[in-house]
Amino acid sequence: MKHLTKRNWYREAFLSLAVTLATLAGLEIFLRVADFKELRETLTERSLAYGYDVELGWAPVPNSSSLIKTFRTTHYQHNRLGLRDEEFSLDAKPTIMFLGDSFVWGLDSEAHERFTELLKPKIPDYKILAAGVSGYGTDQEYLLLKRLWLKVKPTVVVLIFCADNDRINNSTNRSYDYYQKPYFAVRQDGSLMLMGQPAPKSQLLYYKENGLVRNLWLARLAVDVYVQLRYPPLLVPDPTEKLVGKIREFVEGNGAKFLVGIQNHDEALVRYLQANRIPFVGLEGAAFYTQGGWGPHWTPEGHEFVAERILGLLSANNIVRYGASVQNAK
């Protein structure tokens, strides 16, 4: 009798295990077929050759290179600083650093097509450095600037502000495909307080780094639920103008000049820049791609337009002489 009871227990345990495994297998198949966007191992300009960064959220892997397919299929290569530019070294030649997001990084463009590359032969007396990281808001750009300063020591810093989404990026702890990022909250006295460091990892990084999570969609679901519950989205009052002010304070406090280019029109930012006498130029009118789901990034013709606008800004502020620069480049 005891033998039969034990035998029944084994049978029931086996059946329960079989049902559980069948259910899990069915859920795994369902998740793969359903192909929910939140569970995809999506390769974006922020995940392809980008790694986790405890201070910035994500950053390009130094010395990485590959292809990226967005509206176009283009090549990219990052230098030792993790920037999409030629190798940089400090010397007596002054540097103009362009700070920004994918518009400076050059999404949908080959490296030689970007406005920063077009400026190099036109301003031969300066080094031009493209310090752009796709997906960054002004907050992350400020932190990147501080990280790079002693390695670059720029004479001029030009912030390229993305009016399309920088304000949104500056007001939250997450962006795009649930990428976790640091952010700045405004204290009651109006000062800024850095929050969200160390930056949590997004689920895409778990997918990338853990073989079990990468290959088992049920594990992806579990990680996704954990990340969403552990690090829910937060919204804070828009700190954009205060961030621009902090960048100016840092740049000018280190003896350099600060200017701004605005990718698209932003009336509030224009008023702030005018009121604080910060030189700027509007870049609206530059041709951009309108398809592909990656945002309206500049075409090669758009980059040419931007290069001319930026050159005019630098000339108007006595940083370069427009005519002399063009003549020296010939």
Side-chain angles (χ1 to χ4, degrees):
M1 186 70 178
K2 290 182 179 180
H3 177 72
L4 292 176
T5 301
K6 189 175 182 180
R7 186 175 181 181
N8 289 337
W9 183 88
Y10 280 125
R11 181 185 296 115
E12 289 179 5
F14 175 78
L15 289 174
S16 297
L17 178 61
V19 170
T20 300
L21 291 176
T23 301
L24 292 175
L27 286 173
E28 177 73 14
I29 294 171
F30 169 76
L31 292 174
R32 289 174 180 268
V33 172
D35 192 26
F36 295 111
K37 179 182 178 181
E38 294 80 2
L39 300 181
R40 295 175 189 165
E41 189 182 4
T42 307
L43 290 178
T44 72
E45 79 273 21
R46 293 171 296 282
S47 62
L48 188 63
Y50 277 37
Y52 169 68
D53 191 291
V54 68
E55 295 178 346
L56 300 171
W58 64 90
V61 176
N63 300 314
S64 58
S65 62
S66 188
L67 297 174
I68 180 169
K69 185 174 182 180
T70 50
F71 183 82
R72 302 166 61 195
T73 298
T74 52
H75 306 75
Y76 68 85
Q77 181 167 349
H78 297 119
N79 62 19
R80 288 194 298 268
L81 295 176
L83 302 177
R84 192 187 181 197
D85 211 324
E86 59 192 0
E87 289 299 338
F88 182 86
S89 59
L90 278 174
D91 54 33
K93 198 172 185 179
T95 298
I96 301 175
M97 174 193 283
F98 288 89
L99 191 66
D101 59 6
S102 53
F103 283 91
V104 175
W105 189 86
L107 191 65
D108 278 329
S109 296
E110 294 290 356
H112 70 273
E113 296 173 331
R114 297 173 304 163
F115 75 91
T116 49
E117 293 297 318
L118 299 177
L119 285 172
K120 289 180 180 180
K122 295 182 179 182
I123 315 176
D125 294 334
Y126 282 86
K127 289 184 177 182
I128 305 294
L129 183 64
V133 179
S134 291
Y136 271 16
T138 316
D139 46 10
Q140 292 162 292
E141 292 158 9
Y142 172 45
L143 296 174
L144 177 64
L145 172 68
K146 294 173 71 176
R147 173 184 290 186
L148 292 174
W149 191 267
L150 292 179
K151 298 177 181 178
V152 176
K153 295 182 179 179
T155 302
V156 180
V157 173
V158 183
L159 171 68
I160 303 299
F161 180 82
C162 178
D164 288 347
N165 56 30
D166 273 355
R167 287 190 181 276
I168 297 173
N169 292 344
N170 296 339
S171 303
T172 183
N173 64 329
R174 302 198 318 195
S175 66
Y176 302 100
D177 301 311
Y178 303 108
Y179 271 73
Q180 307 287 334
K181 59 181 283 294
Y183 63 99
F184 285 85
V186 181
R187 297 188 180 96
Q188 288 186 348
D189 63 1
S191 62
L192 292 178
M193 178 171 56
L194 177 59
M195 306 287 287
Q197 283 187 343
K201 291 185 177 182
S202 75
Q203 69 265 36
L204 286 177
L205 286 169
Y206 286 98
Y207 299 174
K208 185 177 181 180
E209 297 173 354
N210 188 291
L212 177 65
V213 177
R214 182 169 59 251
N215 295 304
L216 192 64
W217 280 57
L218 281 170
R220 294 189 186 189
L221 178 61
V223 166
D224 187 56
V225 171
Y226 165 76
V227 171
Q228 300 303 323
L229 294 177
R230 181 69 178 81
Y231 307 107
L234 300 173
L235 288 175
V236 297
D238 179 12
T240 294
E241 280 73 22
K242 291 183 180 296
L243 285 167
V244 174
K246 291 293 287 185
I247 294 175
R248 178 195 194 179
E249 179 183 331
F250 180 82
V251 170
E252 294 183 350
N254 282 280
K257 294 184 178 181
F258 177 62
L259 304 91
V260 176
I262 307 176
Q263 163 262 343
N264 207 347
H265 189 67
D266 187 301
E267 185 60 37
L269 182 58
V270 167
R271 290 197 301 269
Y272 172 83
L273 297 174
Q274 290 174 334
N276 290 274
R277 298 183 179 181
I278 299 175
F280 72 95
V281 65
L283 305 176
E284 63 269 24
F288 55 83
Y289 296 106
T290 58
Q291 303 174 14
W294 294 85
H297 291 91
W298 295 322
T299 64
E301 294 76 17
H303 278 279
E304 292 176 5
F305 176 92
V306 170
E308 289 301 313
R309 285 288 183 93
I310 295 294
L311 193 58
L313 174 67
L314 296 173
S315 177
N317 288 275
N318 301 314
I319 296 170
V320 302
R321 287 193 300 160
Y322 186 94
S325 299
V326 174
Q327 185 66 35
N328 290 339
K330 292 181 180 180

